[in-house]
Amino acid sequence: MTRRLAQVAKKVGVSEATVSRVLNGKPGVSDTTRQAVLSALDVLGYERPTQLRGERARLVGLVLPELQNPIFPAFAEVIGGALAQSGLTPVLCTQTKGGVSEADYVDLLLQQQVSGVVFAGGLYAQADAPHEHYRRLADRNIPVVLVNAAIEDMGFPGVSCDDGVAVEQAWRHLTSLGHERIGLVLGPGDHVPSSRKLAAARVLGDLPDEHVARAIFSLEGGQAAATRLLDRGVTGFICASDPLALGAVRAARRKGLAVPSQVSVVGYDDSAFMNCTEPPLTTVRQPIEAMGRAAVELLNAQIGGGSVPIEELLFEPELVVRGSTGQAPRP
């Protein structure tokens, strides 16, 4: 008991006596401090006293596919901050290769009786991935919000950046620079945001199948995919993420090609430090702040018992032109 008091007190930044008063239902503690102590109990994995268990559920799961891509820590910062401002405690759940899966995290969150879950990227975006754990959340009436495009009929509200507009901005930018052989580096074939990008590109201009390459979402994946497209004569690249775009830049350099004088590359996200790369990366910026706050508003509405339309809110991206794009090379 003494160890528990000390850990909770340290977590919240209050005295052990204050924690004891909360646990024993004594007066003299502000509502804010009281709620912080109860949330700390949850986060540290301690059972609440019996008389306080009915007040559980100020925790919100924030499930991310990874932290290596800077876009996900950026979403975590915005969403976590907005949750805290709403009196909710975010519980960060990050998947690792060979480690805890998204479904495992859902089970853990259900055990903790969370108020809701925000998924910022995940298996809901892949048509061929398992989705049973989402149904478990729906069956328990747990409020859920999805960030970025999902497969059809998930049954949850979501916020997304408009993938079609993003590709249109990148495509028109490259064609204005004289590029005619434009290629796309996308995620897996069942990845919904990538499918939307591909559909938009096919409407915009001539895009042969051999100018579309699939990759895992990593710098190495982008490099491998871009190498194939370079061998097919592509000079302008539209990539489905910033790490993929950095891989394309590396692929060009490994072939002795200069960026942007011989090859132009456009990323997607405008994640941290993309203005510090060499050359600085032209990319399509997701409005992370607006999307993250909208996701929390949708979650709060559900937690409060309000009716939330099961639809997708689309946010407008913004092309940020930097040094990785230039005039197409002359024949």
Side-chain angles (χ1 to χ4, degrees):
M1 181 66 177
T2 302
R3 180 172 176 269
R4 179 175 67 168
L5 287 176
Q7 285 187 316
V8 174
K10 182 179 180 181
K11 183 81 173 175
V12 181
V14 298
S15 69
E16 293 182 30
T18 298
V19 175
S20 179
R21 283 198 294 272
V22 172
L23 298 183
N24 291 296
K26 302 291 185 181
V29 182
S30 70
D31 289 340
T32 302
T33 300
R34 186 169 171 276
Q35 189 57 59
V37 168
L38 295 177
S39 295
L41 280 174
D42 298 334
V43 171
L44 292 170
Y46 291 124
E47 282 293 326
R48 294 188 181 196
T50 303
Q51 71 272 20
L52 299 177
R53 286 178 188 172
E55 299 185 23
R56 186 187 292 274
R58 300 304 292 173
L59 299 177
V60 170
L62 176 52
V63 185
L64 306 174
E66 58 163 314
L67 292 177
Q68 289 185 323
N69 184 340
I71 194 65
F72 294 116
F75 269 120
E77 182 178 9
V78 171
I79 294 171
L83 287 171
Q85 289 174 0
S86 302
L88 298 164
T89 302
V91 179
L92 183 62
C93 304
T94 306
Q95 300 163 61
T96 57
K97 293 179 181 177
V100 181
S101 69
E102 191 174 278
D104 292 333
Y105 275 126
V106 166
D107 289 338
L108 290 170
L109 292 170
L110 287 172
Q111 290 172 20
Q112 290 296 317
Q113 303 176 40
V114 293
S115 291
V117 184
V118 178
F119 292 89
L123 298 179
Y124 59 86
Q126 295 177 243
D128 298 336
H131 300 125
E132 292 81 6
H133 52 290
Y134 299 113
R135 283 189 280 275
R136 290 201 294 277
L137 290 167
D139 291 342
R140 297 274 289 272
N141 294 316
I142 303 295
V144 172
V145 178
L146 309 177
V147 178
N148 280 330
I151 63 171
E152 292 184 4
D153 302 323
M154 284 299 294
F156 299 126
V159 297
S160 301
C161 190
D162 194 321
D163 293 290
V165 172
V167 165
E168 181 179 359
Q169 291 176 352
W171 187 282
R172 296 196 186 286
H173 174 59
L174 289 176
T175 55
S176 73
L177 295 171
H179 290 275
E180 297 178 353
R181 298 188 301 278
I182 297 173
L184 268 61
V185 178
L186 303 173
D190 67 332
H191 185 245
V192 176
S194 294
S195 298
R196 291 182 176 183
K197 289 179 173 70
L198 178 59
R202 293 204 186 281
V203 172
L204 289 165
D206 180 32
L207 181 67
D209 289 342
E210 58 266 25
H211 286 182
V212 178
R214 302 284 183 173
I216 60 171
F217 280 98
S218 67
L219 190 149
E220 293 77 14
Q223 180 181 347
T227 298
R228 297 196 298 273
L229 296 185
L230 287 168
D231 291 338
R232 297 165 190 167
V234 168
T235 64
F237 287 82
I238 298 174
C239 302
S241 75
D242 288 340
L244 289 176
L246 296 180
V249 172
R250 179 192 283 180
R253 287 178 170 161
R254 290 286 168 84
K255 284 188 166 292
L257 300 171
V259 178
S261 60
Q262 293 174 286
V263 174
S264 288
V265 179
V266 182
Y268 179 74
D269 285 336
D270 193 28
S271 47
F273 309 118
M274 292 305 106
N275 61 334
C276 302
T277 59
E278 180 52 45
L281 187 68
T282 294
T283 186
V284 180
R285 175 182 295 160
Q286 289 200 67
I288 299 169
E289 183 79 25
M291 291 172 64
R293 291 196 169 276
V296 174
E297 288 177 12
L298 287 170
L299 192 77
N300 272 326
Q302 294 178 78
I303 292 172
S307 177
V308 176
I310 305 302
E311 60 186 25
E312 180 184 34
L313 298 180
L314 284 179
F315 286 75
E316 192 88 358
E318 176 189 0
L319 179 69
V320 181
V321 178
R322 298 193 181 105
S324 65
T325 51
Q327 292 291 327
R330 294 180 179 179

